[in-house]
């Protein structure tokens, strides 16, 4: 069934800048069970964010630029999207600092046969404007005009919080994920870290890149979700879907022609969820003067689903080394912290 809609719409004012895009979900967007890949949704979210932030950063006279993704805050997948449904992605700029833009994105799924809609995702992304003349030059962002003083103050708090978290992540970012020595999984014990650990190697081509010749953040996130999904599927051997993505930090740009290695390993399991750590390393093979470097990192949570779409128990992870035990406890801490946060949000809702 053909779908006719404007792929990109823009509403602007001195107070509010927003954009929308939509498209129908095709079979190549989904897994074998018909659930749309989390990476596909993340890529659309990033596209909407990149469009609106680039437009805003070029809204005043001055040096032209392209907005580059620096960070994605924790994103929860509230409801699975399926083949044949239409994804509506709405993006709005909610805060600007001197050198960065915060974009809030909402994703809705539409059943075009019934017209029913539901919210599937909400995300917050941070962009920085890079000069088209000099990719290493970060330009100043045109200030946003707020309707209320509180909006600016709340945005500044979010900005300071993400800035601190980015610094903490950089300090912890020396970890190396060693490839599995023996690729034969028949000789490994199931449910261990080494059994499900997976790696994807990708050569960055022109179609992956921005006008600068650097990889789109959405392309990187899609590859990260793909690797994490393989790890989750190998661990539980069922249909799996992305439940959430913790903050993704983009530590450095990835240039066209680089070979990127995306590695994923299981870090923690609860009764019904799995946490996978994903690391992205870039190897600029054409530039002999530059060494391999860490480009991005994140934790992705998956759940296992039955054929009826109901959550299934997850096989518990068997940790073998001290490092694996340490990562398991850290993952457990993140899980309990998020569980407590959700409960607090529920308790804050007035009872009828």
């Amino acid at each position: 069934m053909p779908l006719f809609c404007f792929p990109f719409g823009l509403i602007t004012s001195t107070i509010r800048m927003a954009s929308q895009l939509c498209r129908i979900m095709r079979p190549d967007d989904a897994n074998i069970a018909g659930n749309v890949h989390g990476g596909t949704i993340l890529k659309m979210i990033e596209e909407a964010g990149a469009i609106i932030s680039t437009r805003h950063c070029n809204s005043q006279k001055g040096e032209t630029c392209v907005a580059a993704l620096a960070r994605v805050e924790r994103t929860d997948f509230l409801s699975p999207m399926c083949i044949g449904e239409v994804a509506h992605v709405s993006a709005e700029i909610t805060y600007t600092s001197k050198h960065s833009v915060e974009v809030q994105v909402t994703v809705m799924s539409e059943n075009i046969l019934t017209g029913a809609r539901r919210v599937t995702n909400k995300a917050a992304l941070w962009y920085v404007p890079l000069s088209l003349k000099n990719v290493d030059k970060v330009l100043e962002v045109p200030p946003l005009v707020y309707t209320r003083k509180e909006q600016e103050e709340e945005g500044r708090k979010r900005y300071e919080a993400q800035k601190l978290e980015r610094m903490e992540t950089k300090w912890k970012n020396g970890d190396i994920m060693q490839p599995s020595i023996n690729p034969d999984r028949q000789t490994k014990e199931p449910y261990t870290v080494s059994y499900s650990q997976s790696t994807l190697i990708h050569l960055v081509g022109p179609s992956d890149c921005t006008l600068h010749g650097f990889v789109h953040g959405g392309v990187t996130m899609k590859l990260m979700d793909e690797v994490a999904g393989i790890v989750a599927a190998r661990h539980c051997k069922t249909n799996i879907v992305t439940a959430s993505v913790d903050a993704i930090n983009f530590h450095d740009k990835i240039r066209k022609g680089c070979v990127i290695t995306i590695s994923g390993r299981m870090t923690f399991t609860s009764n019904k969820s799995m946490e996978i750590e994903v690391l992205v390393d870039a190897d600029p093979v054409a530039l002999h003067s530059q060494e391999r470097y860490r480009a991005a990192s994140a934790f992705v949570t998956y759940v296992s689903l039955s054929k009826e779409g109901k959550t299934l128990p997850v096989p518990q992870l068997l940790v073998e080394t001290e490092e694996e035990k340490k990562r398991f406890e850290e993952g457990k801490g993140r899980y309990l912290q998020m569980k407590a946060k959700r409960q607090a949000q529920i308790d804050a809702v007035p009872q009828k």
Side-chain angles (χ1 to χ4, degrees):
M1 179 184 293
L3 173 70
F4 297 94
C5 66
F6 294 103
F8 305 110
L10 180 67
I11 306 168
T12 63
S13 71
T14 57
I15 297 173
R16 182 173 182 269
M17 177 173 270
S19 68
Q20 291 186 338
L21 64 87
C22 67
R23 75 172 178 87
I24 196 164
M25 296 294 97
R26 304 181 299 268
D28 58 345
D29 294 318
N31 62 18
I32 57 175
N35 301 124
V36 175
H37 292 295
T40 300
I41 304 298
L42 290 170
K43 190 170 184 287
M44 289 192 296
I45 287 173
E46 197 278 328
E47 286 173 353
I51 290 169
I52 190 172
S53 53
T54 298
R55 279 174 171 162
H56 178 76
C57 292
N58 289 282
S59 60
Q60 295 182 358
K61 289 184 178 180
E63 200 170 336
T64 54
C65 63
V66 171
L69 183 63
R71 176 180 166 91
V72 182
E73 302 291 358
R74 179 185 170 88
T75 305
D76 290 307
F77 290 74
L78 307 174
S79 176
M81 196 178 296
C82 301
I83 294 171
E85 293 182 326
V86 176
H88 295 265
V89 186
S90 303
E92 180 180 358
I93 293 177
T94 49
Y95 179 76
T96 57
S97 69
K98 185 177 181 180
H99 295 293
S100 64
V101 180
E102 181 193 47
V103 180
Q104 300 275 356
V105 181
T106 300
V107 183
M108 296 192 70
S109 175
E110 177 194 2
N111 183 321
I112 55 177
L113 301 180
T114 65
R117 292 192 181 196
R118 67 185 188 282
V119 176
T120 62
N121 299 80
K122 289 186 176 182
L125 304 90
W126 293 89
Y127 289 83
V128 293
L130 303 180
S131 168
L132 280 175
K133 296 179 180 178
N134 179 4
V135 74
D136 294 319
K137 182 181 179 182
V138 179
L139 302 181
E140 291 191 11
V141 176
L144 189 67
V145 179
Y146 303 92
T147 55
R148 295 181 294 109
K149 184 66 177 177
E150 293 81 0
Q151 290 177 324
E152 184 176 9
E153 292 172 354
E154 291 165 0
R156 187 179 293 110
K157 289 179 182 178
R158 294 192 299 270
Y159 168 74
E160 294 296 339
Q162 66 85 27
K163 188 176 179 181
L164 180 62
E165 287 185 17
R166 278 179 60 82
M167 291 300 298
E168 290 176 348
T169 305
K170 281 187 177 182
W171 295 336
K172 299 175 183 177
N173 209 31
D175 195 10
I176 302 297
M177 196 179 301
Q178 297 294 342
S180 180
I181 296 173
N182 185 358
D184 186 3
R185 299 185 192 280
Q186 293 181 349
T187 65
K188 296 180 181 179
E189 185 176 358
Y191 311 132
T192 58
V193 175
S194 59
Y195 182 83
S196 58
Q197 182 175 317
S198 303
T199 300
L200 184 152
I201 298 174
H202 178 76
L203 175 64
V204 176
S207 62
D208 298 322
C209 297
T210 66
L211 296 174
H212 278 120
F214 291 93
V215 176
H216 284 286
V219 170
T220 304
M221 290 193 292
K222 192 172 188 297
L223 292 170
M224 293 172 78
D225 179 74
E226 184 176 335
V227 170
I230 293 170
V231 174
R234 279 175 168 165
H235 182 77
C236 59
K237 296 181 174 61
T238 61
N239 176 34
I240 49 90
V241 293
T242 313
S244 66
V245 179
D246 268 10
I248 303 176
N249 289 294
F250 293 83
H251 309 293
D252 208 340
K253 301 180 290 292
I254 304 173
R255 189 183 296 273
K256 180 174 63 179
C258 280
V259 173
I260 54 175
T261 303
I262 307 100
S263 306
R265 64 185 169 200
M266 191 79 64
T267 51
F268 170 76
T269 54
S270 66
N271 290 333
K272 290 189 176 181
S273 67
M274 306 160 268
E275 182 192 71
I276 294 112
E277 181 182 23
V278 185
L279 305 177
V280 181
D281 295 310
D283 185 5
V285 290
L287 300 174
H288 301 292
S289 59
Q290 189 174 357
E291 297 180 351
R292 178 173 169 146
Y293 60 93
R294 177 65 39 82
S297 58
F299 291 99
V300 188
T301 300
Y302 280 80
V303 293
S304 173
L305 297 181
S306 67
K307 292 181 180 179
E308 293 75 31
K310 296 181 179 179
T311 55
L312 294 172
V314 171
Q316 292 305 290
L317 181 65
L318 302 177
V319 291
E320 300 173 299
T321 68
E322 289 302 317
E323 276 298 312
E324 290 174 2
K325 291 176 183 177
K326 180 183 176 183
R327 287 195 293 268
F328 187 92
E329 289 303 318
E330 291 173 346
K332 184 178 180 180
R334 287 186 291 269
Y335 168 76
L336 293 175
Q337 185 179 24
M338 188 49 58
K339 190 175 180 180
K341 186 177 179 180
R342 286 199 204 98
Q343 188 60 50
Q345 290 172 342
I346 293 171
D347 294 341
V349 177
Q351 297 295 322
K352 293 184 179 180

